[in-house]
Amino acid sequence: PWGARRGGGGLHAVERPKRLHGRRARPKNDGHGEGHPLDVSRHLRASALAAAVFLPVAASAGPLQPNELGRVMILEYHKVDQPEERWTRTPANFRGDLERLWERGYRLVALNDLLDGRIATSRGTTPVVLTFDDSSPGQFKLIERHGSWVPDPDCAVGILEAFERQHPEFGRAATFFVLPGADPPNRLFNQKDLAGRKLQYLAAHGYEIGNHTLWHANLAKYPVRVVRQQLATAQEWVQRHVPGYHIRTLALPMGAYPKDIRWAIEGAEGQIAYRHDAVLMVAGGAAPSPHTRAFDPYRLPRIQALERELAQWLGYFERNPQERYVSDGDASVITVPPGTLDKVRRSPGARVVERP
């Protein structure tokens, strides 16, 4: 099986640990070419810091006006554990992230709803998407309580559900990019006997399951046959536990595109075919609105949910509210600022309204 180790320079069950949770390698180019890992965090930090420091605070009296051409944060989490490190957010800090988002008018939306342009948050609020890479234990742990398996209150799923109970309007949505064939502790959240139960729970409770390859493979390194095996087999493993589940999104390990982006979008291995409606990068900043012509679902940027970067982007949108996606409260209508109709990517059945 593709999850097993192979000798003689063949496939490995997981990339080296430092590549999974450590520092990324220095990019070989500017990050825009295919076949190389994307590493734009340095540019992201510089641009966001400059925005936070040098841009004036916008005068905003009253609620934000709808702007459904604004940008959307897709936050990228890895480990939820102790202590706080480069790829780790503590449970307390993750709770704090949710509180900051809530207080600043952000509301959770599912990644697939973003792709489809079905953003139904209340008027004056801003959608935000949560993603979790690598299926590490602190993302989703089940504990036995009164004869039933329930989410650990200190894992990401447990924290999200407790926060929704406290703030129902905040919503509950997240995409988990899982590794079905990785070595422990990253194989499907590291509770072997509960792996199927966990995937079924996610699918049944409104969460989404995404492709992250079988074992965190750097797709830039491999020919088309191996890329397709990685993606199709990962999907097959998920569908063993959740029959018929449709995986729509792929998060690239290390941001590394294969030599041909089409291999990441669709393909087949044997009887297993895959088709991804979006390919997510490892960094890149806030994403364009799905209603704008600039939206490219196959190069979808994310914000790494580190204290520094999250604070910078929250501060940036506070200072530049005109850059922020603000909902009109009606998913069937696209409300845009004056003079921006030419920037709209038309959606079937959607009505476009230019704000006065």
Side-chain angles (χ1 to χ4, degrees), residues 8-36:
L11 296 178
H12 299 283
V14 69
E15 298 283 348
R16 293 197 305 266
K18 70 178 182 179
R19 296 307 302 270
L20 186 59
H21 290 305
R23 294 182 178 180
R24 294 192 301 279
R26 186 177 298 276
K28 297 179 181 179
N29 60 11
D30 64 358
H32 296 290
E34 293 178 4
H36 299 286

Side-chain angles (χ1 to χ4, degrees), residues 256-270:
Y257 279 87
K259 295 178 176 66
D260 189 329
I261 192 175
R262 292 174 294 182
W263 306 348
I265 296 172
E266 61 182 336
E269 170 65 18

Side-chain angles (χ1 to χ4, degrees), residues 119-314:
I119 299 175
T121 61
S122 58
R123 183 181 178 89
T125 62
T126 295
V128 62
V129 176
L130 302 185
T131 64
F132 294 84
D133 289 11
D134 304 338
S135 56
S136 55
Q139 294 177 9
F140 190 14
K141 180 180 179 181
L142 288 175
I143 58 175
E144 195 169 8
R145 180 174 293 170
H146 307 303
S148 299
W149 291 103
V150 298
D152 186 321
D154 282 330
C155 75
V157 170
I159 293 169
L160 277 169
E161 296 188 357
F163 196 84
E164 186 208 17
R165 289 192 294 271
Q166 184 180 4
H167 303 289
E169 189 187 338
F170 186 65
R172 181 181 65 194
T175 301
F176 291 85
F177 291 100
V178 300
L179 299 173
D183 285 340
N186 293 96
R187 178 175 291 194
L188 297 178
F189 312 107
N190 204 40
Q191 286 178 297
K192 181 179 178 180
D193 294 338
L194 300 175
R197 184 187 294 268
K198 288 183 177 184
L199 293 178
Q200 293 161 14
Y201 184 100
L202 293 176
H205 287 77
Y207 301 103
E208 296 171 357
I209 303 169
N211 202 326
H212 201 39
T213 76
L214 187 58
W215 39 251
H216 207 263
N218 181 342
L219 298 182
K221 294 166 52 176
Y222 298 113
V224 59
R225 176 183 62 87
V226 176
V227 172
R228 287 176 174 164
Q229 287 168 339
Q230 280 285 321
L231 300 177
T233 308
Q235 175 178 288
E236 180 185 21
W237 281 39
V238 170
Q239 290 175 340
R240 289 178 193 172
H241 299 293
V242 191
Y245 188 83
H246 181 198
I247 294 179
R248 296 183 56 189
T249 55
L250 164 67
L252 296 167
M254 296 161 282
Y257 279 87
K259 295 178 176 66
D260 189 329
I261 192 175
R262 292 174 294 182
W263 306 348
I265 296 172
E266 61 182 336
E269 170 65 18
Q271 299 298 311
I272 305 299
Y274 62 87
R275 165 74 194 187
H276 298 126
D277 296 329
V279 177
L280 280 72
M281 302 190 296
V282 77
S289 163
H291 304 308
T292 182
R293 294 180 183 273
F295 185 75
D296 182 355
Y298 302 121
R299 295 187 180 276
L300 205 54
R302 292 190 287 175
I303 295 170
Q304 295 175 4
L306 316 175
E307 177 62 37
R308 177 182 172 89
E309 294 191 12
L310 183 56
Q312 287 171 348
W313 278 102
L314 287 172

Side-chain angles (χ1 to χ4, degrees), residues 38-97:
L38 289 171
D39 188 351
V40 295
S41 59
R42 181 182 303 175
H43 170 74
L44 170 63
R45 288 192 295 270
S47 61
L49 182 60
V53 173
F54 297 111
L55 287 174
V57 177
S60 61
L64 296 173
Q65 293 298 307
N67 174 16
E68 297 188 320
L69 293 183
R71 299 164 74 187
V72 178
M73 293 193 297
I74 303 175
L75 300 182
E76 173 190 346
Y77 287 90
H78 290 83
K79 297 168 69 175
V80 178
D81 205 344
Q82 301 284 355
E84 184 82 11
E85 294 178 336
R86 174 66 178 84
W87 297 108
T88 304
R89 205 79 172 120
T90 67
N93 285 341
F94 180 56
R95 290 187 186 95
D97 293 346

